[in-house]
């Protein structure tokens, strides 16, 4: 009979220690390989959509402008980015090193996604032993929401990864102290807040631990230090936020207030589960739809796993009891598990709850996107809770190893439902097709052409058009209507009071100077009808003597060519 593993020399050892068995090492390698395969598999399929193309546009700006833009007196409301600069700087470096291809554009998110899988597994292992780490890591690897954001050219997955590292370091610092966890905690929070302003929601998290350890002077004092450290780490991003908000930078509001706070909270929670669909607001990017029974199983496992983790923390100081694979545990280790449990729960509550409460004043919540910092915290708790439940069942059956293996296979089977859904999913974005039609129309034109954007199509179309091998002097000019759209093409300006007058003035301006021979107007459609901005421009062109040429629709967009006055007669004479 193998003797139990003795407790570590330091009772408050780091929550993740090197794997102690060959089976665990194999499990970690297999999960990381699976996570990487699921993310790299879809890497080249999706073309950049609007938000991703805006990230590439922002990354193309000088680094100093990205950092100091909101503080510069010359920065206009239309020209500023509404996000902190860290992700864009990393993206800029990746593109500079790896080129302008889709892999370079997505590599930062892929790397952050793999780190997130590892960090989620580390938290699960700290909460529920070796099996807890494998359960949590597998859930993170198979999560459809995590997969989506791990290939999206946006900083949300980086925010989630930094938030998870911050939570791990904070729990370690409060429970055991030390300079290293304090340093990691500060760096992680700086990175989170400089990736997205929603990272500031993590700043009050140490306050929760002050309350949790109110009867333990040493840990309460470290939690208070954590509060001050968090405030110091968040100060640069807070200054950036104040400069951005007070100057009205970053475009106009577009979020809608939630119909129900409870409903929105459930959407945020259910988005991180296995067997569920990704949020409907991502439908334009690609919507993974799964049967109702799989969503029901995912919901039951999620609620059950979270309940089990919280019950274990409440009853046994962190869930140490009932774990055959973790060996004897000291009081300090159980306290550390309890601290980490409440840290993760607090992070999820802050990331989901604060935007929802703030939405009573101003819409700030978007389930399945803006509260992504809650995703790894909930997945780690769910994974740990499921591992605890499986361990107890395995102990009663005297087959703990077999029970863990079967449970992991069941999770893999549930998550594999997404594999067929992802395989059948193709991008719903029309920009590649639109760019091809623009290139064909430009090459057949008898004079210079210009592409006119009447909606938020400039960034993604430019990404495709820049890749076209244009003959010298044939690349089309880029125009926008309204003109202000060119200053910040990623944010829709408020509609003009008199669109018809503005459109007439825009068309009159094209009659002076070297006007293009052909305008290729890109119009967004609603129920097969042009939106007001595009409709006003089309009417003004017709009234200004331009003649409509060929056109066609691609998804929710229409591409219409307009020939300059006299151009059709010149073509007829030729």
């Amino acid at each position: 009979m193998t003797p139990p593993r003795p407790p570590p020399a330091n009772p408050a050892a780091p929550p993740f220690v090197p794997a102690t068995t060959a089976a665990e090492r194999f499990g970690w390698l297999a999960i990381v390989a699976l996570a990487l395969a699921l993310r790299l598999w879809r890497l080249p399929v999706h073309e950049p959509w609007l938000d991703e193309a805006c990230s590439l546009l922002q990354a193309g700006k000088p680094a100093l402008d990205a950092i100091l833009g909101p503080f510069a007196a010359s920065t206009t409301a239309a020209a500023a980015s509404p996000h902190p600069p860290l992700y864009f700087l990393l993206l800029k470096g990746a593109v500079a090193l790896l080129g302008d291809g889709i892999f370079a554009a997505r590599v930062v998110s892929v790397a952050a996604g793999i780190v997130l899988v590892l960090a989620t597994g580390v938290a699960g292992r700290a909460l529920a032993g070796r099996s807890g780490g494998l359960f949590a890591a597998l859930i993170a690897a198979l999560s459809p929401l995590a997969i989506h954001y791990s290939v999206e050219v946006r900083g949300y997955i980086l925010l989630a990864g930094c938030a998870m590292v911050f939570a791990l370091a904070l729990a370690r610092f409060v429970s055991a102290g030390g300079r290293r966890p304090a340093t990691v905690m500060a760096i992680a929070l700086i990175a989170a807040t400089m990736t997205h302003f929603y990272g500031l929601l993590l700043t009050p998290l140490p306050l929760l631990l002050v309350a949790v350890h109110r009867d333990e002077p040493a840990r309460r004092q470290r939690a208070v230090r954590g509060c001050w450290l968090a405030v110091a780490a968040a100060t640069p991003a807070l200054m950036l936020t104040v400069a951005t908000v007070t100057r009205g930078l970053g475009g106009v509001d577009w979020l809608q207030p939630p119909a129900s706070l409870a409903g929105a909270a459930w959407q945020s929670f259910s988005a991180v589960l296995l067997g569920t669909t990704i949020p409907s607001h991502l439908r334009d990017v690609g919507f993974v739809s799964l049967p109702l029974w799989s969503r029901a199983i995912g919901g039951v496992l999620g609620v059950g796993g979270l309940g089990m983790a919280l019950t274990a923390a409440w009853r046994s100081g962190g869930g140490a009891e009932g774990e055959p694979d973790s060996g004897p545990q000291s009081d300090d280790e159980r306290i550390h598990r309890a601290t980490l449990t409440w840290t993760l729960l607090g992070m999820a509550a802050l990331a989901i709850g604060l935007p929802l409460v703030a939405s009573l004043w101003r819409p700030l919540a978007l389930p399945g996107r803006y509260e992504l910092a809650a995703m790894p915290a909930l997945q780690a708790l769910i994974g740990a809770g499921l591992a605890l439940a499986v361990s107890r069942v395995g102990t009663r059956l005297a087959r703990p190893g077999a029970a863990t293996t079967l449970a992991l296979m069941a999770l893999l089977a549930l998550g594999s439902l997404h594999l067929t859904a992802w395989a059948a999913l193709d991008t719903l974005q029309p920009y590649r097709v639109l760019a091809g039609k623009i290139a064909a129309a430009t090459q057949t034109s008898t004079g210079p052409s210009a592409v006119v954007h009447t909606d938020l199509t400039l960034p993604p179309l430019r990404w495709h058009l820049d890749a076209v091998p244009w003959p010298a002097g044939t690349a089309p000019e880029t125009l926008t209507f309204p003109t202000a759209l060119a200053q910040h093409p990623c944010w829709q300006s408020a509609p003009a009071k008199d669109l018809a007058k503005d459109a007439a003035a825009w068309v009159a301006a094209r009659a002076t100077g070297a006007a293009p021979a052909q305008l290729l107007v890109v119009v967004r459609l609603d129920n097969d009808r042009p939106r007001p901005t595009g409709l006003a421009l089309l009417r003004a062109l017709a009234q200004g003597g331009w003649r409509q040429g060929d056109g066609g629709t691609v998804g929710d967009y229409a591409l219409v060519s307009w020939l300059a006055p006299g151009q059709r007669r010149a073509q007829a004479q030729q």
Side-chain angles (χ1 to χ4, degrees), residues 104-207:
R106 302 193 190 281
V107 69
V108 175
S109 294
V110 172
I114 298 302
V115 170
L116 183 64
V117 171
L118 293 172
T120 305
V122 167
R125 195 181 198 276
L127 292 172
R130 294 192 295 270
S131 60
L134 295 177
F135 274 80
L138 184 60
I139 291 174
L142 295 173
S143 168
L145 199 66
I147 294 173
H148 170 77
Y149 285 112
S150 293
V151 297
E152 188 182 60
V153 190
R154 298 295 280 177
Y156 300 108
I157 197 71
L158 180 61
L159 167 64
C162 293
M164 195 60 175
V165 174
F166 168 71
L168 287 168
L170 173 61
R172 167 69 174 150
F173 173 71
V174 172
S175 60
R179 291 184 178 180
R180 180 177 297 178
T183 302
V184 173
M185 169 189 159
I187 293 175
L189 186 57
I190 291 173
T193 55
M194 294 303 288
T195 297
H196 198 287
F197 288 133
Y198 277 62
L200 292 170
L201 299 177
L202 303 174
T203 308
L205 190 55
L207 282 174

Side-chain angles (χ1 to χ4, degrees), residues 135-287:
F135 274 80
L138 184 60
I139 291 174
L142 295 173
S143 168
L145 199 66
I147 294 173
H148 170 77
Y149 285 112
S150 293
V151 297
E152 188 182 60
V153 190
R154 298 295 280 177
Y156 300 108
I157 197 71
L158 180 61
L159 167 64
C162 293
M164 195 60 175
V165 174
F166 168 71
L168 287 168
L170 173 61
R172 167 69 174 150
F173 173 71
V174 172
S175 60
R179 291 184 178 180
R180 180 177 297 178
T183 302
V184 173
M185 169 189 159
I187 293 175
L189 186 57
I190 291 173
T193 55
M194 294 303 288
T195 297
H196 198 287
F197 288 133
Y198 277 62
L200 292 170
L201 299 177
L202 303 174
T203 308
L205 190 55
L207 282 174
L208 172 65
L209 300 185
V210 174
V212 169
H213 295 292
R214 59 186 179 277
D215 297 327
E216 304 172 75
R219 291 188 175 89
R220 186 183 68 246
Q221 185 178 12
R222 287 195 290 267
V224 171
R225 287 186 211 157
C227 293
W228 289 110
L229 190 59
V231 170
T235 296
L238 186 61
M239 295 172 60
L240 200 62
T241 304
V242 172
T244 300
V245 172
T246 55
R247 298 189 57 198
L249 305 181
V252 299
D253 294 334
W254 61 274
L255 290 173
Q256 299 296 321
S260 165
L261 295 185
W266 170 251
Q267 289 178 18
S268 296
F269 175 73
S270 62
V272 309
L273 306 178
L274 288 180
T276 58
T277 58
I278 62 176
S280 59
H281 66 81
L282 296 172
R283 185 180 297 274
D284 288 341
V285 185
F287 186 71

